[in-house]
Amino acid sequence: MAANMYRVGDYVFFETSSTSPYLIRRIEELNKTPSGNVEAKVMCFYRRRDISPALLMLADKHQMALEDEQDDKLTEKNRHQLRHRELFLSRQVETLPATHIRGKCSVALLNETELLQSYLDKDDNFFYSLVYDPSQKTLLADKGEIRVGSKFQAEIQALLREGEGDGRIVPELETVVWRPENVLTDVQIDQFMVIARSVGTFARALDCSSTVKQPSLHMSAAAASRDVTLFHAMEVLHQSEYDLSKAISALVPPSGPVLCRDEMEEWSAAEANLFEEAIEKYGKDFSDIRQDFLPWKSLKNIIEYYYMWKTTDRYVQQKRVKAVEAENKLKQVYIPNYNKPNPAAISAVSRRRGNDSGRCFRDRVFSVAFCLNTKLY
């Protein structure tokens, strides 16, 4: 019973054609349709047969480099088996009928600290180390790869003896921005912060773009109360040597009140929607988010916006919606054994005949079975 129970996160075989090798997929979601059928939203893994010859050359170079590093005594048969155990992860997601599941398998990110031979010890055991993009036709190393070797290690400095210095002038390496031990009391500092927030609210009232984004007074006041305003106020106090009169004058220079804005205010509504769409697709893969959705933003801008976005009501509401959706999703599904005859299987009649057509048919089935990782050795 347990072998036929499939859950989110399982790696499974899917059959789409009786004459083609099984597809290997990871179950991301199990959803019940209005008609009562169960559909599986799955992450795609590709075999070597699915990518172009040019990309296969890159994959071969990557695997040969790993074999040379390990200096493992692999036979030609082992190398051949490894190439049929290798998969390529993709970000592509598709939906397939759950009734097409034909069994479980195991897929792991290639661990460069383990011998390649270990991936051949179990049946239905596969590995991947490269990511395939079907739309861009690219093959890249997975960002989660383990980097092993001297070139990836930090250089450790020699331990200093007691009383020995390292030659650095520490004051020149640091920039003081605030001194907790100053002449002001906590009450005076709090009063100055109130003045800084008031100036920030007034500055937003004078700024045309801010009045569009925060049309009401309480929204402007809330924006002026965020950390960016408080950090600016503390910096002004420090630069004014904790003289309140100088600091207040610095808040409102002759050019007008200083407006400090963080990423939450700098982003437009359209950019915010793009970001939420990207988060839904890529998660916290900020590099891909920037590349595919927000190339005009820097990585720093996106990361800073993410952590501010997590504090908003919009994020909380989205979490609630996802929680409700998750309650409606299936946690697991039972798929009975598939016992229908496969037209690609070798029949007893063709074995007895032993003619040329039978041999030709067996050759074709052998290639299919080999791609399925069937033990024929």
Side-chain angles (χ1 to χ4, degrees), residues 52-342:
S52 66
L55 294 180
L56 273 180
M57 292 175 63
L58 291 176
D60 289 339
K61 287 181 181 178
H62 186 270
Q63 187 164 324
M64 287 173 62
L66 183 59
E67 292 172 359
D68 292 341
E69 277 186 20
Q70 292 196 1
D71 194 24
D72 194 15
K73 303 301 182 182
L74 294 173
T75 64
E76 196 60 35
K77 175 181 173 181
N78 292 150
R79 296 175 192 275
H80 191 70
Q81 288 177 312
L82 282 171
R83 279 161 174 72
H84 286 277
R85 296 287 184 102
E86 184 178 20
L87 302 176
F88 304 100
L89 172 66
S90 78
R91 308 297 183 192
Q92 183 170 326
V93 176
E94 62 184 13
T95 301
L96 298 171
T99 52
H100 287 190
I101 295 176
R102 296 293 178 263
K104 296 180 182 179
C105 59
S106 175
V107 180
L109 174 64
L110 177 66
N111 187 342
E112 296 182 1
T113 62
E114 294 182 359
L115 295 177
L116 292 171
Q117 183 70 37
S118 64
Y119 294 97
L120 302 177
D121 296 339
K122 299 178 183 178
D123 292 336
D124 302 328
N125 190 23
F126 300 88
F127 68 91
Y128 74 94
S129 61
L130 301 175
V131 179
Y132 173 58
D133 187 336
S135 57
Q136 302 293 330
K137 303 298 181 185
T138 58
L139 201 61
L140 302 171
D142 186 76
K143 294 183 177 64
E145 66 178 342
I146 299 175
R147 297 182 177 272
V148 180
S150 58
K151 61 181 179 180
F152 299 118
Q153 306 304 314
E155 294 183 4
I156 302 176
Q157 297 180 352
L159 182 65
L160 297 176
R161 299 185 182 88
E162 186 175 354
E164 182 183 4
D166 59 3
R168 299 182 301 167
I169 303 175
V170 176
E172 294 182 359
L173 301 177
E174 299 174 343
T175 301
V176 179
V177 295
W178 177 258
R179 294 187 186 278
E181 301 82 10
N182 53 65
V183 297
L184 300 177
T185 64
D186 290 343
V187 174
Q188 289 175 313
I189 293 174
D190 291 340
Q191 290 173 335
F192 181 77
M193 294 300 174
V194 172
I195 295 172
R197 287 194 288 266
S198 302
V199 171
T201 304
F202 179 59
R204 283 165 177 77
L206 297 178
D207 182 67
C208 295
S209 61
S210 295
T211 54
V212 173
K213 293 179 181 179
Q214 287 104 17
S216 63
L217 178 61
H218 76 274
M219 291 178 64
S220 295
S225 299
R226 289 206 287 264
D227 289 346
V228 65
T229 301
L230 302 183
F231 291 158
H232 173 67
M234 295 172 72
E235 183 181 356
V236 168
L237 267 180
H238 178 73
Q239 291 175 349
S240 303
E241 298 177 345
Y242 303 96
D243 185 323
L244 284 177
S245 60
K246 288 183 180 179
I248 292 173
S249 299
L251 284 178
V252 189
S255 58
V258 176
L259 176 58
C260 301
R261 293 193 293 197
D262 54 27
E263 294 298 327
M264 288 299 294
E265 288 185 88
E266 293 289 354
W267 288 45
S268 66
E271 290 173 334
N273 290 333
L274 277 175
F275 173 81
E276 291 176 359
E277 184 183 343
I279 280 286
E280 184 71 23
K281 181 176 181 180
Y282 291 129
K284 292 193 293 183
D285 196 336
F286 299 118
S287 297
D288 285 348
I289 289 174
R290 179 175 182 268
Q291 179 178 345
D292 294 347
F293 285 85
L294 297 159
W296 58 92
K297 296 288 187 182
S298 70
L299 208 55
K300 177 180 178 295
N301 296 149
I302 294 173
I303 294 173
E304 185 177 339
Y305 180 83
Y306 168 76
Y307 284 103
M308 291 183 174
W309 171 75
K310 286 189 70 175
T311 65
T312 62
D313 290 338
R314 189 178 179 93
Y315 171 75
V316 175
Q317 291 171 2
Q318 284 195 355
K319 284 196 71 175
R320 288 173 182 167
V321 170
K322 287 184 177 181
V324 173
E325 290 178 350
E327 290 179 359
N328 297 327
K329 296 182 186 301
L330 298 176
K331 302 296 187 297
Q332 58 187 17
V333 63
Y334 176 81
I335 306 294
N337 289 328
Y338 186 79
N339 297 319
K340 292 183 179 179
N342 190 327

Side-chain angles (χ1 to χ4, degrees), residues 13-24:
F13 293 112
F14 269 91
E15 180 181 14
T16 57
S17 170
S18 59
T19 57
S20 300
Y22 288 161
L23 305 178
I24 295 178

Side-chain angles (χ1 to χ4, degrees), residues 21-39:
Y22 288 161
L23 305 178
I24 295 178
R25 301 289 187 260
R26 185 178 67 218
I27 300 176
E28 300 294 314
E29 292 178 9
L30 292 168
N31 301 307
K32 192 172 183 179
T33 65
S35 61
N37 297 321
V38 178
E39 292 182 340

